[in-house]
Amino acid sequence: NAGVTQTPKFRVLKTGQSMTLLCAQDMNHEYMYWYRQDPGMGLRLIHYSVGEGTTAKGEVPDGYNVSRLKKQNFLLGLESAAPSQTSVYFCASTGVGEKLFFGSGTQLSVL
Amino acid sequence: AQSVTQPDIHITVSEGASLELRCNYSYGATPYLFWYVQSPGQGLQLLLKYFSGDTLVQGIKGFEAEFKRSQSSFNLRKPSVHWSDAAEYFCAVGAPSGTYKYIFGTGTRLKVLA
C-alpha cells in the first residue's frame, strides 16, 4: 500500500498564478483533510471531506478551494496564489476509529 | 467549538529528566485525542492516541498520556528524556462523529540539554 500520496512535493509560484495539489489515498478512507503548517502555528485545517462529493471549510479556508469527485482523491486548489500562502501543505486521511495517515507534504513558495 | 491549546511554546529539559507537555481541549463530548511528534524537515509520527477506555495511554518511545475529562486535558509524559526526543510535539483533537474534524494545537518545541 502506498498510503497517502501528495503531488507535487515542491512548487514555486508567482503571485496570481493558480495551481492544484493532489492527494490520493489507497486505504478506502471516507475522511480526508488538507492542512497547512507554518512556524509557530502548528497545523491548521484548510478544508476537509467526510465522503465522496462532500467538502467542508476548516479553520483557514479563504483563498483555497477543494474537490472530492472520487473517494480516493482530494484536490486543493489555489486560484490566485498570494505570498501569504507560502507554506507546507499536508494531506491526511482516516477511517472510523483510526489514526490520521499523512502524506509527505508539499512545500509551496509564492513569490 | 472544537479547539486545542498547547500552552508551552518551548520547553527545555536536561537529558534524563522527566517531561510533561500540556494539552487542553474544548469539545462538547469525549473526543479522539492524539499526540504527534515531528523532527525538523520530517513528517508527523503518531506517538499515541486515546479513543475510549483506560484513561492512561501508553505510546511509542516510552511516552504516555493521561486523559482527564474533568480538566479537559491530555498531557504527554515521559519519565526520562533522551537527546533524541528533541523535536516538536503536537496535540490533536478529533471529532468521533458528526463533522469528523481533526484540529491540531500550535505545538511545543522540546530542547534537550546534554
Side-chain angles (χ1 to χ4, degrees):
Chain A
N1 281 350
V4 179
T5 303
Q6 285 182 238
T7 52
K9 296 191 184 305
F10 301 94
R11 186 70 186 269
V12 178
L13 292 178
K14 294 181 179 178
T15 297
Q17 287 185 318
S18 63
M19 76 162 295
T20 300
L21 305 182
L22 172 62
C23 177
Q25 53 94 4
D26 61 2
M27 295 171 282
N28 201 36
H29 284 161
E30 288 292 336
Y31 315 113
M32 297 187 73
Y33 309 83
W34 276 106
Y35 294 91
R36 59 177 290 173
Q37 183 176 25
D38 304 289
M41 306 188 79
L43 280 80
R44 292 181 291 169
L45 181 63
I46 304 171
H47 286 280
Y48 64 104
S49 168
V50 299
E52 181 179 317
T54 73
T55 63
K57 294 181 180 179
E59 301 171 284
V60 288
D62 294 343
Y64 305 95
N65 57 76
V66 288
S67 65
R68 183 107 180 262
L69 299 179
K70 293 183 179 180
K71 186 177 185 179
Q72 63 268 33
N73 296 336
F74 195 29
L75 279 64
L76 178 71
L78 287 72
E79 290 185 346
S80 180
S84 61
Q85 294 178 304
T86 293
S87 187
V88 179
Y89 292 84
F90 286 99
C91 175
S93 71
T94 190
V96 174
E98 296 188 56
K99 67 173 186 177
L100 283 173
F101 290 82
F102 284 92
S104 57
T106 297
Q107 193 158 339
L108 174 66
S109 294
V110 183
L111 305 178
Chain B
Q2 185 179 349
S3 67
V4 185
T5 302
Q6 292 181 249
D8 304 305
I9 299 173
H10 297 279
I11 282 186
T12 300
V13 299
S14 298
E15 192 171 19
S18 63
L19 172 70
E20 182 168 28
L21 302 183
R22 295 183 291 165
C23 174
N24 293 97
Y25 69 88
S26 175
Y27 186 68
T30 300
Y32 291 164
L33 295 160
F34 306 83
W35 276 99
Y36 287 85
V37 61
Q38 186 181 38
S39 297
Q42 302 298 311
L44 289 96
Q45 182 182 23
L46 179 68
L47 287 175
L48 47 79
K49 63 183 185 291
Y50 173 81
F51 286 167
S52 65
D54 192 344
T55 56
L56 185 62
V57 180
Q58 302 297 320
I60 62 171
K61 304 186 179 186
F63 286 93
E64 68 176 27
E66 186 171 12
F67 169 56
K68 292 186 177 181
R69 186 192 311 272
S70 61
Q71 298 178 20
S72 298
S73 69
F74 189 57
N75 294 349
L76 182 71
R77 300 193 293 250
K78 187 169 185 178
S80 177
V81 171
H82 188 262
W83 64 266
S84 60
D85 293 325
E88 191 156 24
Y89 292 79
F90 295 96
C91 180
V93 174
S97 62
T99 65
Y100 296 97
K101 284 171 62 175
Y102 284 77
I103 302 295
F104 284 76
T106 52
T108 298
R109 185 167 296 278
L110 175 65
K111 183 177 179 180
V112 180
L113 301 177

